[in-house]
Amino acid sequence: MRRALLLLVLTLLGIAPASAQSERAVNFYNWSDYIDPEVLAEFTKETGIKVRYDTFDSNDTLETKLLTGKSGYDVVVPTGYFLERQIKAGIFLKLDKSKLPNLVNMWDEVAKRLAVYDPGNQYAVNYMWGTVGIGYNMRKAREILGPDARMDNWDIIFKPEQIARFKDCGVHMLDSADDALPAALNYLGLDPNATNDADLGKAADLMLKVRPSVRKFHSSEYLNGLASGEICLVLGWSGDIKQAQKRAAEAKGGVEVGYAIPQGGAQMFFDNLAIPKDARNVTEAHALINFLQRPEIAARNTNFLGYPNGNLASQKLIDKAVLEDRTVYPEPATLAKLYILRARDQRTQRLANRIWTRIKTGR
Ligand code: N2P
């Protein structure tokens, strides 16, 4: 009652604090397992801005929401090659860099690569990046391949007789035409960005041959699956596998998880913070993006996630074991072998999605 009266008086005087008029909030749509949960609580504590947080595990899911308009989200995290065509489709707001002073902390090497998708870095700021590689149960790998087992080899995934040896202990693969098909193309010595029917057809044939050994196509369950020992092999995203490794170690159940970036080259991806044009909380969206680029916050997320970030100033605050882990921050020789994907044109995307459905259903 006293509070209500006070608010009434303040409102009449025209000096009501913003929080009294309506609660400040930001709607954040992020990948699953992609933030240290304490970070959001800290943002709210400090700014008074509440975070409504939802997660997805596929660029297609995010894009469907963005393209239908009125997604309701203020900050989203598209991967570079989706961002590229979404920018062209006019979906995003140009960032107001005067509200993002922490951009001075960004890492030029990453910003430069991101500019391939977002020329001039006008619409997006890198959040995390990573690689697509092989996650595995170390003991199972030794049992199956012998004590000197090397898992940094695409033969494990793409030679039907090799992957078949892991079938019984459980194989998962990302449910993503954009991650799996390019890996198959690369393995075949073809351009991972191929758009022609013949090359994509060859990738499909290869996938169909290994498909009988895959228990499930899913893009987030493998984290817990690997950590618990329920599965033993995955074609997955680096940091999710690094989190599985950490969870397994913490659980002290004897499960040891490994992550390998295969020798034959792998995909390097960039996931980026952007604001949809129809966002209703634009000031709050900038505040959140700026907060995430504080060196200590970016470092905490990387320590928690095992994904490298695009924030150079954060590196001196990242745990040494993470910063020096070459499966998180790859060394130059490995980096040189990584490939990036570009936005597919509509025709190729449709073709890839059709192929993917065929692979998943096994027909
Ligand atoms: C986080 C997955 C992000 C990597 N779980 C895919 N862009």
Side-chain angles (χ1 to χ4, degrees):
M1 181 62 201
R2 269 189 25 218
R3 189 178 138 79
L5 205 64
L6 177 69
L7 285 180
L8 179 66
V9 174
L10 287 174
T11 309
L12 289 173
L13 292 172
I15 52 173
S19 63
Q21 290 171 336
S22 64
E23 192 177 40
R24 292 181 77 198
V26 60
N27 300 299
F28 185 17
Y29 196 35
N30 190 14
W31 292 85
S32 53
D33 302 297
Y34 223 28
I35 197 157
D36 176 340
E38 282 174 21
V39 160
L40 294 180
E42 204 169 306
F43 173 72
T44 302
K45 203 169 138 207
E46 197 179 301
T47 61
I49 300 169
K50 195 177 145 193
V51 183
R52 296 195 203 105
Y53 190 65
D54 284 334
T55 59
F56 56 89
D57 70 0
S58 145
N59 272 300
D60 303 292
T61 308
L62 169 62
E63 185 163 270
T64 305
K65 294 216 171 163
L66 290 173
L67 289 179
T68 44
K70 295 257 169 293
S71 69
Y73 294 113
D74 303 307
V75 178
V76 295
V77 193
T79 303
Y81 43 94
F82 272 72
L83 174 79
E84 182 179 7
R85 66 174 183 226
Q86 289 161 356
I87 288 174
K88 287 191 186 134
I91 284 175
F92 297 116
L93 200 70
K94 230 178 234 176
L95 296 171
D96 179 350
K97 296 198 178 173
S98 72
K99 293 196 179 115
L100 302 170
N102 284 335
L103 292 191
V104 296
N105 300 320
M106 300 314 288
W107 189 7
D108 198 46
E109 284 300 315
V110 170
K112 243 171 27 201
R113 286 182 161 90
L114 183 53
V116 169
Y117 308 109
D118 172 19
N121 298 106
Q122 298 188 82
Y123 293 93
V125 177
N126 182 250
Y127 177 54
M128 298 284 151
W129 53 279
T131 49
V132 178
I134 300 176
Y136 57 98
N137 179 303
M138 289 179 154
R139 188 170 52 85
K140 292 284 181 200
R142 280 194 299 267
E143 274 171 27
I144 293 167
L145 301 175
D148 305 321
R150 296 222 32 184
M151 296 296 287
D152 57 351
N153 190 327
W154 283 121
D155 285 346
I156 308 273
I157 297 283
F158 290 118
K159 272 222 160 86
E161 64 276 17
Q162 287 272 34
I163 193 171
R165 301 172 74 184
F166 291 85
K167 181 178 178 181
D168 289 341
C169 60
V171 179
H172 276 202
M173 216 177 252
L174 292 171
D175 180 10
S176 163
D178 297 278
D179 291 284
L181 289 179
L185 285 164
N186 176 64
Y187 179 73
L188 293 169
L190 301 168
D191 179 359
N193 281 296
T195 57
N196 65 80
D197 295 42
D199 287 357
L200 282 162
K202 285 179 200 153
D205 289 344
L206 176 61
M207 288 293 308
L208 284 166
K209 283 193 199 118
V210 302
R211 195 243 173 274
S213 296
V214 179
R215 186 183 290 173
K216 194 166 194 177
F217 291 93
H218 197 283
S219 299
S220 48
E221 277 182 23
Y222 64 92
L223 198 166
N224 281 326
L226 272 181
S228 67
E230 213 176 294
I231 61 169
C232 62
L233 185 69
V234 68
L235 172 72
W237 291 311
S238 54
D240 284 44
I241 295 162
K242 298 306 289 186
Q243 286 173 73
Q245 188 174 61
K246 206 156 61 165
R247 271 186 217 179
E250 281 162 9
K252 296 199 171 70
V255 175
E256 277 184 284
V257 174
Y259 174 65
I261 304 173
Q263 295 281 330
Q267 188 207 142
M268 178 189 206
F269 61 80
F270 299 88
D271 294 334
N272 317 289
L273 303 158
I275 306 177
K277 230 177 201 160
D278 56 7
R280 269 180 292 178
N281 305 292
V282 173
T283 308
E284 291 77 8
H286 282 89
L288 177 62
I289 293 173
N290 195 51
F291 185 81
L292 293 171
Q293 296 305 345
R294 264 193 208 168
E296 60 276 22
I297 296 297
R300 248 167 60 193
N301 275 330
T302 284
N303 286 337
F304 185 89
L305 299 171
Y307 278 105
N309 67 48
N311 187 305
L312 184 62
S314 75
Q315 289 187 6
K316 57 184 186 301
L317 304 167
I318 292 172
D319 296 340
K320 224 171 159 210
V322 175
L323 195 63
E324 288 175 1
D325 183 337
R326 293 310 181 200
T327 64
V328 180
Y329 281 89
E331 63 212 320
T334 309
L335 277 177
K337 281 194 266 179
L338 301 177
Y339 59 81
I340 65 158
L341 298 181
R342 298 300 304 267
R344 286 187 175 131
D345 61 83
Q346 219 177 55
R347 190 203 75 94
T348 311
Q349 189 68 42
R350 266 198 223 116
L351 175 63
N353 288 347
R354 255 202 322 272
I355 289 175
W356 193 244
T357 307
R358 189 154 65 90
I359 291 164
K360 282 198 293 179
T361 54
R363 266 172 274 136

